[in-house]
């Protein structure tokens, strides 16, 4: 099957999926006004792949078929480089908003591919073949696929089996000859109502007592018993001037409830092999954080561009403190860019013939962009001045009564017209001080795992041989030091 069109993608979303907006069941997700921006954003994964100038970036050929490049097998560092460029460019085209409708699902497929080799070897299972068949179905059908890993988790200090309510982590409640039945809920699943398929992975390491929670599978979004409860959605009535990013491209999240959902065996990729849950969870996290660092670069560029342009329009570009702050935004961007390069250039050979983005560079970059993001926002808001939240809006500019005053008093330095300055002020507000701006702060902090998760993974994967040898060279032999715990990643060492 060739690449799908936007029309075919939209038709695929018109099925029996159970989606709720403001507590009400949605009859057709492609027709609901509150979902329009998010579904339209999902569709750009299809429209952009057909743009002649983006074809090289967005597509590749396999077995005579043109396929979306999200499905290119990650069998070399160069394939990872091409994936990074794809994610960057896709985000840039969507005004700095990531689009996970194919990216996160294919990250999950890569993790399942690499880890199922070890599971099959140890348990004589056939997960690898099932993953390969499912992957081929998604790639040849040009499907969109999203990922539910984060469980609702209840009391974070307790393991899944210790929770007073056993459904705080998704688990197997019945094993049948034809498949399994699962119950529980996953939190903040991105773009589920806009996807064809949902992949489910465990979110953490599991012990033997948690064996029923060590479960991975894929289901069509329209599977009976799967209930998608949408979180806050963007206000679609705003003008493009006032919401130039969030009024055009934005993602959505759902509370994803599995109310005794049946999954046939051919779609089950882990069912009780608890020792492999950690490897699956962390391998997915590494592939997905590589996607994350790639999609963050266009935002870093946009933030830098906004700061430079705003300083020019405000007449502060030559001020020493402004230049210093802009310098910090340059560092933010370039450290990120360098780590992305290191992550693919020094990728590690992994099980199943894949290459894993270098976990230390990947997690360092993710930690860098997440931990510094609030500072980036502060700098942008500082340079923009208070007008970024008090400036008149599109209607004031268009009105014959107020428009002349707005045009006169909103002029910028060097005769910049008021409309350009207003557009820039509203862009910065949208990115940093709107509902979407607040969302950006939180998704950057928690998306792809909290800061602590990246720190732990960096510690697990950092080779301390050279640092300790440097000390020994000066003071003599040290006792054996178990400074880090072994990585759970399926890399070939
Ligand atoms: C906008 C958005 C989109 C997302 N999209 C997806 C998605 O598509 N699919 C998906 O699976 N997930 C998704 N996530 C989930 C994301 O990976 C999680 O938010 C992240 O892993 C943190 O989990 P949490 O939100 O449950 O926070 P928590 O785990 O509650 O973390 C809150 C704080 O508690 C700390 N903490 C938690 N547990 C412990 C513990 N046991 N001991 C000590 N400290 C602890 C954390 O370090 C952190 O500081 C998304 C998140 C956001 C915000």
């Amino acid at each position: 099957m060739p690449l799908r069109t936007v029309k075919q993608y939209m038709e695929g979303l018109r099925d029996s999926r159970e989606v709720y907006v403001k507590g009400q069941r949605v009859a057709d997700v492609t027709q609901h006004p509150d979902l329009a921006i998010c579904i339209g954003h999902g569709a750009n994964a299809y429209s952009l792949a057909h743009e002649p100038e983006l074809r090289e970036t967005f597509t590749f050929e396999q077995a005579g078929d043109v396929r979306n490049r999200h499905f290119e097998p990650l069998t070399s560092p160069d394939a990872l480089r091409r994936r990074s460029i794809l994610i960057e460019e896709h985000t840039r085209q969507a005004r700095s908003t990531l689009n996970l409708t194919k990216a996160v699902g294919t990250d999950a497929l890569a993790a399942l591919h690499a880890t199922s080799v070890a599971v099959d070897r140890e348990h004589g299972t056939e997960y690898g073949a099932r993953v390969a068949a499912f992957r081929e179905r998604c790639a040849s059908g040009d499907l969109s696929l999203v990922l539910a890993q984060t469980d609702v988790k209840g009391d974070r200090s307790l393991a899944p089996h210790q929770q007073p309510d056993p459904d705080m982590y998704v688990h197997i409640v019945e094993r049948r000859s034809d498949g399994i039945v699962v119950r529980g809920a996953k939190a903040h699943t991105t773009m589920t109502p806009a996807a064809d398929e949902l992949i489910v992975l465990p979110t953490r390491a599991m012990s033997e007592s948690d064996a029923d929670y060590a479960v991975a599978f894929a289901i069509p979004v329209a599977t009976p018993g799967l209930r998608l409860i949408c979180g806050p959605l963007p206000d679609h009535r705003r003008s493009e001037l006032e919401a130039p990013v969030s009024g055009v491209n934005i993602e959505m999240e759902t509370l994803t409830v599995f109310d005794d959902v049946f999954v046939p065996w051919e779609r089950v990729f882990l069912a009780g092999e608890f020792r492999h849950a950690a490897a699956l969870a962390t391998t997915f996290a590494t592939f997905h954080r590589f996607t994350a660092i790639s999609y963050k670069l266009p935002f870093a560029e946009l933030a830098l561009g906004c700061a430079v342009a705003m300083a020019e329009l405000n007449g502060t570009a030559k001020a020493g403190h402004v230049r210093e702050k802009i310098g910090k935004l340059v560092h933010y961007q370039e450290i990120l860019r360098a780590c992305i390069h290191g992550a693919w250039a020094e990728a590690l050979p992994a099980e199943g013939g894949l290459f894993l983005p270098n976990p230390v560079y990947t997690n360092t970059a993710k930690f860098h962009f997440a931990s510094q993001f609030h500072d980036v926002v502060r700098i942008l808001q500082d340079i923009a001045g208070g007008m970024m939240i008090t400036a008149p809006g599109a209607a004031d500019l268009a009105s014959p009564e107020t428009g002349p005053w707005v045009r006169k008093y909103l002029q910028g330095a060097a005769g910049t017209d008021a409309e350009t300055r207003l557009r820039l002020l509203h862009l910065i507000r949208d990115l940093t001080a709107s509902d979407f701006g607040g969302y950006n702060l939180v998704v950057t902090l928690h998306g792809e795992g909290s800061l602590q998760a990246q720190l732990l993974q960096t510690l697990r994967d950092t080779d301390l041989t050279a640092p300790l040898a440097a000390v020994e060279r000066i003071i003599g032999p040290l006792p054996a030091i178990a400074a880090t715990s072994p990585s759970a990643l399926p890399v070939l060492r």
Side-chain angles (χ1 to χ4, degrees):
M1 180 176 174
L3 294 175
R4 284 200 298 171
T5 61
V6 168
K7 189 164 175 278
Q8 289 168 321
Y9 162 68
M10 291 286 195
E11 275 161 10
L13 302 181
R14 289 186 199 114
D15 53 21
S16 58
R17 62 190 55 211
E18 210 174 313
V19 177
Y20 294 84
V21 170
K22 296 176 188 155
Q24 303 288 316
R25 175 93 187 255
V26 175
D28 176 351
V29 293
T30 67
Q31 296 300 317
H32 195 289
D34 290 359
L35 292 170
I37 296 174
C38 303
I39 299 284
H41 179 59
N44 71 38
Y46 292 90
S47 56
L48 292 170
H50 289 277
E51 297 283 339
E53 70 276 17
L54 295 175
R55 238 179 135 80
E56 169 81 25
T57 305
F58 274 71
T59 64
F60 76 111
E61 279 193 29
Q62 189 173 352
D65 259 359
V66 175
R67 293 183 169 191
N68 190 295
R69 194 179 288 288
H70 282 95
F71 294 104
E72 181 180 358
L74 301 173
T75 49
S76 67
D78 215 40
L80 284 167
R81 180 184 65 79
R82 288 191 291 272
R83 181 173 175 86
S84 179
I85 291 171
L86 164 70
I87 305 284
E88 270 178 37
E89 197 49 40
H90 193 171
T91 313
R92 224 171 255 129
Q93 294 287 335
R95 303 185 174 195
S96 88
T97 302
L98 73 156
N99 183 336
L100 287 187
T101 49
K102 283 181 190 288
V104 68
T106 47
D107 287 334
L109 286 176
L112 283 163
H113 177 111
T115 49
S116 61
V117 175
V119 191
D120 288 352
R121 194 166 47 221
E122 195 177 313
H123 295 274
T125 43
E126 51 189 41
Y127 295 132
R130 292 180 193 169
V131 171
F134 175 69
R135 186 182 193 289
E136 178 54 26
R137 211 185 136 261
C138 294
S140 61
D142 196 17
L143 300 184
S144 52
L145 47 158
V146 295
L147 181 275
Q149 178 181 42
T150 312
D151 292 272
V152 289
K153 296 186 290 200
D155 182 339
R156 270 76 173 145
S157 69
L158 301 177
H161 74 277
Q162 295 170 326
Q163 302 280 338
D165 182 330
D167 301 336
M168 292 298 101
Y169 288 75
V170 169
H171 61 125
I172 302 171
V173 290
E174 191 186 343
R175 288 166 188 267
R176 299 181 359 193
S177 58
D178 50 351
I180 57 174
V181 176
V182 294
R183 186 184 302 158
K186 298 276 186 180
H188 16 243
T189 320
T190 298
M191 294 297 266
T192 341
D196 301 303
E197 292 279 347
L198 174 67
I199 300 178
V200 173
L201 298 182
T203 199
R204 50 170 286 165
M206 302 287 177
S207 68
E208 191 168 0
S209 312
D210 296 322
D212 283 339
Y213 297 86
V215 61
F217 56 89
I219 47 174
V221 170
T223 298
L226 181 67
R227 312 223 151 95
L228 308 177
I229 302 171
C230 294
L233 293 163
D235 180 355
H236 55 92
R237 292 159 304 188
R238 295 159 306 161
S239 69
E240 201 194 330
L241 183 143
E242 289 165 29
V245 177
S246 65
V248 183
N249 294 109
I250 192 167
E251 297 221 312
M252 61 179 143
E253 277 72 35
T254 60
L255 175 65
T256 306
V257 178
F258 300 80
D259 188 10
D260 287 0
V261 171
F262 172 70
V263 188
W265 282 117
E266 65 267 22
R267 284 172 163 272
V268 176
F269 309 134
L270 192 76
E273 297 82 1
F274 62 91
R275 280 198 191 84
H276 297 275
L280 187 48
T282 49
T283 306
F284 163 71
T286 304
F287 277 112
H288 190 45
R289 287 178 194 148
F290 181 66
T291 290
I293 61 181
S294 305
Y295 79 61
K296 211 62 188 178
L297 190 59
F299 185 93
E301 283 171 2
L302 183 60
L304 175 58
C306 282
V308 170
M310 198 74 248
E312 283 295 331
L313 267 53
N314 281 353
T316 57
K318 293 198 173 64
H321 76 97
V322 171
R323 289 172 63 77
E324 193 181 316
K325 286 164 188 161
I326 287 174
K328 287 187 180 149
L329 299 187
V330 174
H331 288 165
Y332 182 76
Q333 172 185 270
E334 297 310 326
I335 291 171
L336 188 53
R337 196 194 309 278
C339 282
I340 294 169
H341 186 100
W344 64 256
E346 296 193 34
L348 305 177
E351 295 268 30
L354 296 192
F355 270 76
L356 186 77
N358 184 290
V360 174
Y361 290 137
T362 301
N363 282 286
T364 301
K366 171 66 182 68
F367 188 88
H368 161 72
F369 86 60
S371 62
Q372 303 301 307
F373 187 77
H374 289 58
D375 283 356
V376 167
V377 166
R378 177 174 52 74
I379 289 173
L380 208 43
Q381 293 177 342
D382 180 4
I383 290 175
M387 188 65 87
M388 60 167 274
I389 54 168
T390 65
D396 306 302
L397 184 69
S399 155
E401 283 180 74
T402 54
W405 293 326
V406 174
R407 288 186 193 283
K408 174 176 168 64
Y409 289 112
L410 265 290
Q411 290 176 88
T416 320
D417 67 285
E419 181 167 346
T420 304
R421 186 149 171 266
L422 261 189
R423 283 190 181 279
L424 183 57
L425 287 164
H426 279 291
L427 172 58
I428 297 173
R429 189 184 75 84
D430 196 25
L431 293 174
T432 71
S434 61
D435 276 0
F436 176 58
Y439 171 98
N440 267 339
L441 291 174
V442 180
V443 72
T444 306
L445 199 56
H446 283 297
E448 305 94 29
S450 304
L451 292 175
Q452 188 65 8
Q454 286 110 62
L455 200 61
L456 281 176
Q457 195 64 43
T458 312
L459 288 173
R460 281 196 198 110
D461 290 306
T462 296
D463 184 354
L464 290 177
T465 316
L468 292 175
V471 177
E472 287 183 327
R473 218 171 285 126
I474 300 168
I475 70 163
L478 290 164
I481 293 177
T484 60
S485 30
S487 174
L489 297 170
V491 289
L492 305 172
R493 296 188 192 270

